[in-house]
Amino acid sequence: MTTTLPTASGSFGDKPELTFPANQPPADLQVQVLEQGTGATVESGQTIEVNYLGQVWGGSVFDNSYDRGSSIGFPIGVGRVISGWDSSLVGAQIGSRVLISIPPHEGYGPMGNPRAGIRGDDTLVFVVDVLDAR
């Protein structure tokens, strides 16, 4: 059974809007490259620079860097961010726009992230523009 992923509006650099299908979220991590970049490949241990929008599956946006007008940088592939990000962004090419569906066990786990309005059973969906890695 294939699970349909949400669709994202806009292109690389634009703040996306997600449209969710009627089906249940996938049980496993899903990564879909919406726009293939042509830059270097992101490697574990690098600091990655991204713009992103995060939304609960079928629910509200809980965070996005587009409205703040500034990207964020963080170490990737070394356990500093949720495991779904480490698993899906290592190997991406700079300049790519990636859609990621992250099940609860690769997101914030059973405790969720109450301050962000994320429950322990929420599937998270991100659109990530990979700007740089060094």
Side-chain angles (χ1 to χ4, degrees), residues 11-131:
S11 351
F12 187 91
D14 299 332
K15 178 183 173 185
E17 284 187 24
L18 291 170
T19 304
F20 288 85
N23 57 274
Q24 291 298 306
D28 299 316
L29 180 71
Q30 300 287 315
V31 182
Q32 181 180 23
V33 177
L34 300 176
E35 280 185 51
Q36 181 63 56
T38 56
T41 300
V42 175
E43 296 176 29
S44 187
Q46 288 185 311
T47 294
I48 188 174
E49 192 77 26
V50 303
N51 269 317
Y52 68 94
L53 176 130
Q55 188 166 348
V56 171
W57 185 284
S60 57
V61 172
F62 56 83
D63 196 12
N64 87 84
S65 64
Y66 299 93
D67 288 350
R68 289 194 295 274
S70 65
S71 58
I72 63 162
F74 50 86
I76 195 70
V78 293
R80 295 284 304 275
V81 291
I82 59 175
S83 68
W85 275 50
D86 276 345
S87 301
S88 59
L89 294 175
V90 169
Q93 279 184 274
I94 295 169
S96 293
R97 172 169 272 205
V98 183
L99 175 78
I100 311 165
S101 175
I102 302 178
H105 65 275
E106 290 196 60
Y108 291 100
M111 299 303 291
N113 183 341
R115 288 188 318 151
I118 299 168
R119 297 185 315 261
D121 60 353
D122 282 337
T123 293
L124 309 178
V125 179
F126 289 93
V127 175
V128 180
D129 288 341
V130 182
L131 305 172

